Amino acid sequence: MRLAVTGRDGQVAASLIERSRDDVEVVAVGRPALDLARPDTVFAALEVARPDIVVSAAAYTAVDQAEDEKDLAFAVNATGAGKVAEAAARLGVPVIHLSTDYVFDGTKDGAYAETDATAPLGVYGASKLAGEQAVAAANPRHLILRTAWVYSPFGKNFVKTMLRLAGDRDEISVVADQWGNPTSALDIADAILHAAARLRDDKNFAAFGIYHLAGGGETNWSGFARHILGTSRAFGGPHANVRDIATADYPMKARRPANSRLSSEKFAGTFGWMVPGWRRSTELVVGRFMRVGLGLCG
């Protein structure tokens, strides 16, 4: 089985390459050959990859910058995502598209299910929701996986930021009134590979649609930071005290949902695969940094 994944330099692409097995080949495609801001590049790049399944992981993810670059965010996250799904349909293969918890406004008391109403607070979430709609319209054989708070040993992410800051200061202020599910990109990769195998083996698979895929358990950003730094200290790495602050104390251009917890029960029931708990997955990623050297600038 061959998977073509967009977003060649992203956390999910790197994780898929690492987690792939002998019977799975992962082909990462990206700029300049495939540029979601240039829709004319999409089909040709994926046709060359000759995939059995397309994983649509490339995205515009600069949440605050998107408020000033609405056209670009929608070009990549909506129009571009739709073109990827359309290309997969033309090639006769399914598409697995990654979306976000930011399609919700955060007002629900409890974890969001796939059937809950969407109401993004900012341009980034709105562009990702438009992408979901474009993907569904372009290719009926789609899995849309909403995930959240993604981190990994690769790329830029919250875990790396906390470890880097802990090397420079004694105290770090972190928001304590936003709740969600930290999710390892390595776990996302494992889930995608599991789902892809199901699609390969079940030629009559009929449960296409939207699924939530986020780390087991929940926390707020400051709780996440404390666990990262506590784990780091246990490994002999950098540590700092974490001071709780309110969202209002750390104003940003784009509004964030106060609650973006996602229930992944539908995915578990359909595919027989549970997302690991966020605490253990965080420990595994932090432990890797400690073993191989921090390398936190990448």
Side-chain angles (χ1 to χ4, degrees), residues 128-219:
K128 291 296 289 182
L129 179 58
E132 292 183 6
Q133 296 162 348
V135 167
N139 190 338
R141 298 171 68 200
H142 64 267
L143 295 180
I144 294 170
L145 307 180
R146 292 175 180 153
T147 190
W149 297 20
V150 178
Y151 66 92
S152 72
F154 316 110
K156 296 180 180 179
N157 57 73
F158 186 76
V159 171
K160 279 191 173 183
T161 297
M162 290 299 103
L163 293 173
R164 176 176 53 79
L165 291 176
D168 297 334
R169 60 188 70 174
D170 296 326
E171 183 177 84
I172 305 172
S173 298
V174 184
V175 169
D177 55 0
Q178 295 175 24
W179 290 79
N181 315 84
T183 310
S184 169
L186 297 168
D187 293 337
I188 295 172
D190 288 342
I192 289 172
L193 292 169
H194 187 87
R198 172 73 178 276
L199 298 182
R200 175 195 62 196
D201 297 338
D202 183 357
K203 302 303 181 184
N204 298 312
F205 183 81
F208 290 104
I210 296 175
Y211 292 84
H212 291 172
L213 184 73
E218 60 188 47
T219 189

Side-chain angles (χ1 to χ4, degrees), residues 79-278:
T79 304
K83 286 295 181 182
V84 171
E86 177 186 308
R90 289 175 61 185
L91 294 169
V93 302
V95 62
I96 300 175
H97 175 71
L98 293 183
S99 190
T100 176
D101 54 330
Y102 277 32
V103 300
F104 297 112
D105 64 7
T107 59
K108 182 178 179 178
D109 182 14
Y112 281 93
E114 291 81 355
T115 53
D116 286 322
T118 53
L121 297 176
V123 170
Y124 168 70
S127 69
K128 291 296 289 182
L129 179 58
E132 292 183 6
Q133 296 162 348
V135 167
N139 190 338
R141 298 171 68 200
H142 64 267
L143 295 180
I144 294 170
L145 307 180
R146 292 175 180 153
T147 190
W149 297 20
V150 178
Y151 66 92
S152 72
F154 316 110
K156 296 180 180 179
N157 57 73
F158 186 76
V159 171
K160 279 191 173 183
T161 297
M162 290 299 103
L163 293 173
R164 176 176 53 79
L165 291 176
D168 297 334
R169 60 188 70 174
D170 296 326
E171 183 177 84
I172 305 172
S173 298
V174 184
V175 169
D177 55 0
Q178 295 175 24
W179 290 79
N181 315 84
T183 310
S184 169
L186 297 168
D187 293 337
I188 295 172
D190 288 342
I192 289 172
L193 292 169
H194 187 87
R198 172 73 178 276
L199 298 182
R200 175 195 62 196
D201 297 338
D202 183 357
K203 302 303 181 184
N204 298 312
F205 183 81
F208 290 104
I210 296 175
Y211 292 84
H212 291 172
L213 184 73
E218 60 188 47
T219 189
N220 55 22
W221 284 110
S222 63
F224 188 19
R226 284 191 178 89
H227 191 62
I228 292 165
L229 298 178
T231 302
S232 173
R233 179 167 57 184
F235 280 107
H239 181 267
N241 292 323
V242 175
R243 182 171 69 91
D244 291 356
I245 61 171
T247 297
D249 297 327
Y250 191 70
M252 304 185 80
K253 183 164 290 189
R255 294 172 61 198
R256 268 76 167 169
N259 167 41
S260 62
R261 292 171 288 179
L262 302 178
S263 168
S264 301
E265 292 180 3
K266 179 183 175 184
F267 187 91
T270 301
F271 293 99
W273 193 90
M274 292 285 294
V275 187
W278 72 269

